[in-house]
Amino acid sequence: MPAAAAPGTITLPSPLTRLSPEPPLGGGATSSTETRPHRVDSTVRVHVSVDRSGAPFAVVALQRLVVRDRGDYVFTVAAPLADVAAAAGSQSTPGFRDTAILWTGFNPGTRTLAARAALRPRVLPLLPLRIERHGTRTTLIDQTQVQASALAADAQPEPLRTELERLRSGSLAQATAVLKSAPATVSYLVGAPLAVSGRIGARPVNLRLGGGAPHTVTVAATGPVDLTVRAVAVVPPATAGSSGRELLARTTKTLLSLARVRQYQAFLGNPDPAGRTETVYRYVSASRPTAAPRAGAPHGRSLLQVLGLVAAAIVAAALALFAWARA
């Protein structure tokens, strides 16, 4: 929590700050300090299976790391894993732990490391979008919002207008404000604005949640869901005539929102903190797997029959994940 101070120059929240422990999952990714640094770009595609009510029940993440700079590498990408396998195009095979994807090897110059990870159910509350069904309507909810503390005060407006313009250009440098009154600690509810596109049943969807738009939108549509979701940076203009207090609040909330966007753009961590990181989420309707009957159930199936059903279900799930990864 920011400490109150006398009028003067204060440091504003950093857009690099984590406003919650996750995402990235497990606190992020690391690179062994015993190896030379590598430049790494990370792209993640998160496939979310949702049932008829819109509730998620399975998450598979496909992460592709493009590693540059010659030399050995040792990467640990934290995540609660149910399983992991090499994805199409990977030039190495990932190692598996319950808590991480492991990569070790030698990079001759540029190397692609791609993993398809089935994630455990504990990640479900960390997903950015919540879908609820109400009869013939579907409600989309931005669930990235968290409480964050900051300072409020009268401030010199011109430096804050300059800061907002700098943020609009994409700068993430540390910002300051010059106060004209003693500050007080306040709490803001901030989240990552979400761009949502795709279809609900036969109806096209193209909208934004948060960032000046409502955080909850209800669509007059039902049926299968196929939605793509991205966390997007939204920086408001420095409106003429705004007071220094208003501009300080606007700038502070924008910085906190950018910090939240960065978290959701890195659902799985990048072992290179300075590398480019991007995550796209796709929500698709699917049928929940049905539990195989237990041996001795009233249907009178034999143990051999039950084991056969379980094996068939596992094979079907594996083929479905393989087909999605190849798509």
Side-chain angles (χ1 to χ4, degrees):
M1 178 180 296
T9 300
I10 63 167
T11 300
L12 297 180
S14 169
L16 306 180
T17 300
R18 287 183 186 171
L19 302 183
S20 64
E22 297 178 288
L25 298 181
T30 59
S31 175
S32 171
T33 57
E34 297 178 357
T35 61
R36 64 172 295 174
H38 292 273
R39 291 172 296 160
V40 183
D41 290 336
S42 169
T43 56
V44 182
R45 301 293 179 262
V46 180
H47 184 92
V48 183
S49 298
V50 300
D51 64 17
R52 290 184 178 181
S53 72
F57 63 86
V59 180
V60 176
L62 174 62
Q63 183 178 43
R64 193 172 302 276
L65 303 176
V66 178
V67 185
R68 297 178 178 85
D69 301 315
R70 179 183 174 88
D72 295 326
Y73 57 84
V74 179
F75 301 147
T76 302
V77 181
L81 298 180
D83 194 12
V84 70
S90 183
Q91 295 175 289
S92 184
T93 300
F96 170 78
R97 285 185 186 168
D98 289 348
T99 57
I101 304 168
L102 305 178
W103 295 104
T104 61
F106 176 77
N107 179 26
T110 300
R111 197 165 185 83
T112 298
L113 309 176
R116 186 177 65 254
L119 304 178
R120 294 203 299 271
R122 84 159 185 83
V123 307
L124 298 179
L126 300 173
L127 295 169
L129 180 71
R130 187 165 81 251
I131 302 172
E132 295 180 353
R133 302 284 199 178
H134 306 280
T136 59
R137 295 179 178 272
T138 301
T139 300
L140 307 177
I141 304 164
D142 180 347
Q143 64 174 10
T144 68
Q145 296 180 88
V146 292
Q147 293 286 343
S149 297
L151 297 177
D154 296 323
Q156 292 185 8
E158 286 309 317
L160 292 168
R161 290 194 178 94
T162 300
E163 176 59 25
L164 282 171
E165 288 305 314
R166 191 170 62 82
L167 290 174
R168 289 172 70 86
S169 71
S171 172
L172 296 179
Q174 186 67 65
T176 60
V178 181
L179 304 187
K180 298 166 62 177
S181 67
T185 300
V186 296
S187 181
Y188 294 119
L189 183 64
V190 295
L194 302 178
V196 183
S197 60
R199 304 189 74 84
I200 299 175
R203 176 164 180 169
V205 174
N206 190 3
L207 55 85
R208 192 178 76 205
L209 301 174
H215 290 91
T216 299
V217 172
T218 297
V219 180
T222 188
V225 166
D226 189 345
L227 297 174
T228 297
V229 179
R230 293 176 172 85
V232 294
V234 177
V235 180
T239 309
S242 299
S243 69
R245 181 176 288 271
E246 291 169 336
L247 285 170
L248 177 59
R250 188 176 306 161
T251 304
T252 298
K253 287 189 283 189
T254 298
L255 288 165
L256 292 170
S257 177
L258 290 175
R260 199 65 174 148
V261 168
R262 282 179 59 83
Q263 287 190 262
Y264 276 90
Q265 286 178 340
F267 199 66
L268 292 181
N270 185 340
D272 175 11
R276 184 179 66 86
T277 302
E278 176 192 78
T279 299
V280 176
Y281 304 82
R282 187 179 176 194
Y283 291 68
V284 179
S285 291
S287 298
R288 283 183 179 266
T290 56
R294 288 178 290 183
H299 296 294
R301 297 186 191 274
S302 68
L303 177 60
L304 185 59
Q305 288 175 312
V306 172
L307 292 176
L309 288 171
V310 172
I314 292 172
V315 170
L319 288 174
L321 288 177
F322 179 77
W324 170 74
R326 298 277 295 181

